[in-house]
Amino acid sequence: MSAVIYVPVDSAALALGADEVASAIVEEAAKRNIPVKLVRNGSRGMFWLEPMVEVQTTEGRMAYGPVSAGDVQGLFDTGFEHGGRHDLCLGLTEELYYLEKQERLTFARVGITDPLSLDDYLGHEGYSGLKNAIAFPSQRIVEEVTESGLRGRGGAAFPTGIKWNTVLNARADQKYVVCNADEGDSGTFADRMLMEGDPYALIEGMTIAALAVGATQGYIYVRSEYPHAIATLNRAIPIARNAGYLGHDILGSGKQFDLEVRKAAGAYVCGEETAMLESLEGRRGIVRAKPPLPALSGLFGKPTAINNVISLATVPVILARGAQFYRDYGMGRSRGTLPFQLAGNIRQGGLIEKAFGVTLREILYDFGGGSASGRPIKAVQVGGPLGSYLPESQWDIAMDYEEYSAIWAVLGHGGIVVHDDMADLARLARYAMDFCAIESCGKCTPCRIGSVRGVEVMDKIIADQERAKQVALLHDLCETMLNGSMCAMGGMTPYPVLSALKHFPRDFGMDDAGDRHA
Amino acid sequence: MEESDESIATLIAAHRQGPGALLPVLHAIQDEIGYIPADSVKEIAKALNLSSAEVHGVITFYHYFRSEPSASPRVEICCAESCQSMGSEKLLAHAKSVCDVHPVYCLGLCAASPAAMIDGKPYARLTPDKFDRILEKIAS
């Protein structure tokens, strides 16, 4: 019997030397005449432990990490290929607190399976959602997704089933499903992990979406910063097609759907759905006015269901286990789970899929173990570069779309970036404006000009040039951007800026009441 | 130059089919040649029935496309919030003192910040020292 050893192929694991570890394992095993079956799995999402190597034992998978190529000889010396004890041994993977306390529905397979093995996928409930969906009329699939309470995981949190219903009821000779995989929010990597670690889940979700709305062609718009995700999808799609899960006759049903990966080109604003459509059509990523809704007039003017990777990859489990199963997770109007991505200055960063209702404090300390620097955590930005900074007084609020909205914060795509007490929130607010200036598509004035003026105003505040006046101006400017921008780029840049100013006035040279320091 | 003209024509021909072909065509050219030569704009425009201005507009809109060859190795350092919280500013300053650097905003390696992409290969949890060792290894 060969020893089965898992070394992740996730790009964050690669960035930490996983390929070198894999080669060292193969080499050392050959030297010792130990038969080894090397599996390149996705990442379990515990990045402080990457590269994390697992071996199959009779009790389950045993984890070792973080492993470097130089550790491999020592690992073999202790017989790690059969679960031997070594300083790097972490115990059984499934019993690690970080994983055990999660509720992995969307990420159920990520890190467990070989991402490109269709057999692995089928052996872990893969395609059971599609098998159910294919027997349903379109309306029933839409109802199931609506019932589940699934809302758009890209950040806008619009109910997925309602969007699909609009596309289903639109009359057209051609409809599309487009997956928005332009995951540009800094601090987020769930889409990347899913595409690299379980590509068939996305393919299956898109196929179900196509059956639901009556589309025959799909596109996955993936950012150019994700070459490994693009490569994985481009390998998975033909495998799925050859096995009859895509193409002219899906599972013998006579129904047709096919998929193409389109590579983006580094424009953050193309994560906005209408800018993405422009880009897919071969133009600059300039935001379109709405209405018309893309659901009625989207890609090439045809009705288009646009969903984020995580929304689509969640659809299979909903169809496999039923709407009720999914909606039993979560709280209020936020049903199901959200894959949180914990990053920045944090000891144990990674992917944490939890039902809505978990608190930021639990994520930061129970999972994250506090800051990486060992210094106190000062501010946490939730929801990407357009999300608010949260001070400690807000860390016990349940992570739920409505609860967050009540404190003028957003969950967005689930990104959490931690800053310790060395962070200067005035500089981060300036950065938010600067990022908007760099990435604005330029179509609307509040965003295009407002962001440039915002940087200037922030510079004056930082340099203490008529500070109180400039702060008043910043409020004015932010109000214009909030209310006058065409999309979230300009419309939400005030979130990080004003939340930083409100909660950390001292960094802006103001006292706690928001007045200027003497 | 003749050879390059020929390969551009071949690349355009291979990717011009299908709706919204401009980005796939530009990617194909940049993947193959390393950049999109300014004198190929006319040819691309003609093949796709666009104006040169439209093609130029697209090339210049997207950060990823370039009209000049890139320095070798191509060093892209993430400058977004997560990497900032783990000292990317120091890394960036150091890198700038030794080579050409292109800032990028998020490589999706945020739980192992700071991160960079060097010649398309991802690196994470970087320090100035580790960065130097990587460059040395690439150079040797």
Side-chain angles (χ1 to χ4, degrees):
Chain A
M1 265 289 275
S2 292
V4 184
I5 303 181
Y6 297 83
V7 181
V9 74
D10 178 277
S11 54
L14 299 181
L16 295 164
D19 273 347
E20 290 75 6
V21 171
S23 320
I25 288 174
V26 171
E27 212 171 286
E28 193 63 28
K31 220 185 276 173
R32 296 177 188 233
N33 272 325
I34 298 173
V36 158
K37 184 186 170 214
L38 183 74
V39 180
R40 300 303 300 270
N41 55 330
S43 171
R44 299 275 194 160
M46 299 182 285
F47 290 109
W48 76 101
L49 298 173
E50 291 288 0
M52 190 180 92
V53 176
E54 290 176 86
V55 298
Q56 190 66 56
T57 73
T58 46
E59 294 103 82
R61 274 155 71 162
M62 191 73 84
Y64 299 80
V67 177
S68 69
D71 296 321
V72 169
Q73 212 173 345
L75 283 166
F76 274 103
D77 287 342
T78 59
F80 96 116
E81 72 276 19
H82 301 298
R85 288 283 150 193
H86 183 279
D87 286 348
L88 292 174
C89 183
L90 303 162
L92 293 171
T93 316
E94 302 292 339
E95 291 176 3
L96 295 174
Y97 181 90
Y98 207 86
L99 276 182
E100 206 189 358
K101 296 294 176 204
Q102 296 194 31
E103 286 136 332
R104 287 201 168 188
L105 305 181
T106 309
F107 276 73
R109 281 171 296 264
V110 176
I112 294 175
T113 54
D114 171 348
L116 288 170
S117 163
L118 200 50
D119 286 341
D120 263 14
Y121 187 65
L122 295 170
H124 289 81
E125 223 183 329
Y127 277 120
S128 30
L130 179 66
K131 278 170 195 152
N132 289 339
I134 215 149
F136 291 161
S138 295
Q139 192 65 50
R140 170 81 196 276
I141 306 174
V142 171
E143 278 163 16
E144 203 68 29
V145 172
T146 308
E147 277 297 296
S148 77
L150 179 66
R151 291 163 71 178
R153 299 291 188 246
F158 188 82
T160 305
I162 292 179
K163 190 189 278 183
W164 286 11
N165 198 48
T166 308
V167 184
L168 170 63
N169 292 325
R171 287 212 193 145
D173 53 347
Q174 172 76 57
K175 295 179 189 179
Y176 296 104
V177 173
V178 172
C179 171
N180 184 344
D182 197 35
E183 185 179 49
D185 281 2
S186 48
T188 68
F189 44 83
D191 294 353
R192 180 188 63 67
M193 277 184 70
L194 195 287
M195 290 186 283
E196 291 178 358
D198 196 15
Y200 297 120
L202 175 57
I203 295 170
E204 182 183 355
M206 289 186 75
T207 310
I208 295 170
L211 295 175
V213 304
T216 52
Q217 177 65 41
Y219 292 94
I220 310 176
Y221 185 83
V222 191
R223 62 199 299 253
S224 53
E225 292 86 344
Y226 286 179
H228 296 86
I230 294 172
T232 304
L233 289 169
N234 276 329
R235 288 171 70 189
I237 289 169
I239 296 172
R241 191 182 293 130
N242 289 338
Y245 293 101
L246 286 173
H248 287 288
D249 185 18
I250 294 166
L251 293 180
S253 66
K255 288 174 181 156
Q256 179 188 341
F257 180 64
D258 219 322
L259 264 180
E260 186 182 328
V261 176
R262 283 290 177 92
K263 186 171 165 184
Y268 176 74
V269 76
C270 289
E272 197 284 331
E273 60 181 5
T274 61
M276 177 182 69
L277 294 176
E278 288 290 305
S279 184
L280 277 169
E281 293 182 14
R283 288 189 289 275
R284 299 189 293 157
I286 306 280
V287 173
R288 293 180 187 171
K290 282 193 271 191
L293 292 172
L296 296 171
S297 176
L299 188 63
F300 305 113
K302 303 293 183 186
T304 305
I306 304 173
N307 297 104
N308 167 257
V309 175
I310 301 302
S311 313
L312 287 163
T314 302
V315 167
V317 68
I318 293 170
L319 268 294
R321 306 244 189 131
Q324 193 59 44
F325 167 80
Y326 190 74
R327 70 171 304 125
D328 281 350
Y329 291 87
M331 64 175 278
R333 285 168 51 214
S334 305
R335 310 312 312 176
T337 60
L338 185 65
F340 294 98
Q341 300 124 80
L342 182 58
N345 196 329
I346 190 84
R347 232 170 60 177
Q348 301 178 163
L351 185 116
I352 303 156
E353 184 176 348
K354 284 292 282 179
F356 290 94
V358 65
T359 68
L360 193 51
R361 194 180 298 279
E362 289 171 75
I363 297 217
L364 294 176
Y365 293 99
D366 297 354
F367 288 95
S371 73
S373 60
R375 303 185 64 92
I377 296 175
K378 176 176 176 178
V380 184
Q381 189 177 28
V382 181
L386 306 177
S388 288
Y389 284 99
L390 276 67
E392 185 169 2
S393 60
Q394 296 183 328
W395 298 348
D396 295 306
I397 290 162
M399 301 188 84
D400 158 281
Y401 292 122
E402 279 67 40
E403 297 276 320
Y404 260 52
S405 153
I407 56 162
W408 210 64
V410 293
L411 290 181
H413 183 49
I416 299 171
V417 175
V418 181
H419 294 269
D420 72 8
D421 64 348
M422 300 298 281
D424 178 348
L425 273 291
R427 282 184 65 97
L428 287 165
R430 183 197 184 278
Y431 168 82
M433 283 292 188
D434 195 28
F435 182 70
C436 183
I438 295 169
E439 296 296 340
S440 174
C441 81
K443 177 144 179 168
C444 70
T445 318
C447 176
R448 184 184 68 244
I449 309 283
S451 55
V452 176
R453 293 288 169 264
V455 174
E456 293 165 2
V457 169
M458 278 312 306
D459 279 339
K460 286 181 186 162
I461 291 173
I462 291 167
D464 195 12
Q465 294 171 15
E466 300 184 287
R467 191 173 269 153
K469 257 177 143 173
Q470 297 301 330
V471 167
L473 195 55
L474 185 66
H475 277 288
D476 254 20
L477 188 59
C478 283
E479 200 174 316
T480 305
M481 291 175 75
L482 270 169
N483 298 311
S485 301
M486 280 182 69
C487 80
M489 178 86 246
M492 286 180 66
T493 292
Y495 278 71
V497 175
L498 292 184
S499 60
L501 176 62
K502 181 175 177 196
H503 301 302
F504 306 95
R506 286 171 181 275
D507 289 11
F508 292 73
M510 313 290 283
D511 68 22
D512 289 342
D515 294 326
R516 197 183 158 217
H517 260 306
Chain B
M1 200 58 218
E2 288 254 310
E3 214 171 294
S4 152
D5 282 351
E6 202 174 302
S7 71
I8 286 175
T10 314
L11 291 166
I12 294 172
H15 293 90
R16 63 181 284 188
Q17 316 309 330
L22 182 53
L23 266 76
V25 165
L26 296 177
H27 275 301
I29 294 172
Q30 183 161 305
D31 286 350
E32 181 71 24
I33 301 174
Y35 66 106
I36 301 159
D39 55 12
S40 66
V41 168
K42 257 192 182 157
E43 199 180 343
I44 298 166
K46 196 172 170 211
L48 296 180
N49 198 21
L50 298 167
S51 70
S52 292
E54 283 169 307
V55 175
H56 176 78
V58 167
I59 294 170
T60 50
F61 178 86
Y62 293 98
H63 304 301
Y64 184 81
F65 294 131
R66 49 183 179 263
S67 302
E68 305 278 328
S70 179
S72 175
R74 183 173 176 81
V75 177
E76 295 167 312
I77 293 185
C78 177
C79 297
E81 293 92 334
S82 176
C83 287
Q84 284 179 36
S85 78
M86 291 302 283
S88 65
E89 280 168 4
K90 221 167 106 188
L91 177 68
L92 185 71
H94 170 77
K96 276 183 170 165
S97 70
V98 295
C99 63
D100 273 355
V101 181
H102 303 271
V104 289
Y105 297 91
C106 199
L107 296 164
L109 308 171
C110 326
S113 296
M117 189 88 94
I118 304 176
D119 279 346
K121 203 171 170 235
Y123 296 92
R125 255 182 248 142
L126 283 172
T127 59
D129 270 359
K130 200 169 156 189
F131 179 80
D132 287 345
R133 286 202 300 276
I134 293 163
L135 284 198
E136 272 168 36
K137 208 172 159 196
I138 290 171
S140 67

